[in-house]
Amino acid sequence: QVQVVESGGGLVQPGGSLRLSCVVSGSIFTINAMGWYRQAPGKQRELVAAITSGGGTNYADSVKGRFTISRDNGKNTVYLQLNSLKPEDTAVYYCKAVVSRSLLQRPADYWGQGTQVTVSS
C-alpha cells in the first residue's frame, strides 16, 4: 500500500501565505517525482508545481515567483509554500507521488485526498 496525505490548507486573506505538506508512506521503493495540482469548481485540474527525485522543479506560469516546492530528504515529504495568495488560487490542492514499489515494477501515480485552500477577504 502507498498512501499520500496532504495537510495545511485553510482560509487565508489575499496576500497571505500557507504551507502545504504531503507525506507519502507505505510500500515504497523509490519516489520518482512529486507534484502539486489544484482544481477549482468548474475548472480543469492543473499542475501547480512538481519536483523530481533529482531536485528539478517545474511551476505553472500563474504561480511562478509566488509558490515554492521543496522536499525533505529525510522523509518522504514534499511541501508547497504559497505566498502572495490571490482569490484565484482558491482550489482543492492535490498531491501526486510517482512511486515505484519494487525494482521491476513500473512507477505508478498515487494521489492524495486533497486539501482545500480558500483565499478570501
Side-chain angles (χ1 to χ4, degrees), residues 4-83:
V4 180
V5 180
E6 308 100 327
S7 62
L11 175 65
V12 65
Q13 293 185 345
S17 298
L18 287 171
R19 190 174 84 150
L20 308 183
S21 299
C22 174
V23 180
V24 183
S25 62
S27 181
I28 300 168
F29 183 67
T30 59
I31 300 177
N32 301 88
M34 297 181 69
W36 288 96
Y37 295 72
R38 68 185 182 187
Q39 187 168 24
K43 303 291 186 179
Q44 295 182 346
R45 185 174 296 189
E46 64 173 344
L47 175 69
V48 177
I51 188 165
T52 68
S53 60
T57 58
N58 187 39
Y59 295 93
D61 288 341
S62 60
V63 307
K64 286 180 179 177
R66 299 189 298 122
F67 294 4
T68 303
I69 190 169
S70 61
R71 63 183 181 182
D72 187 329
N73 289 328
K75 298 177 288 186
N76 293 324
T77 303
V78 68
Y79 305 95
L80 185 67
Q81 180 68 44
L82 297 77
N83 295 329

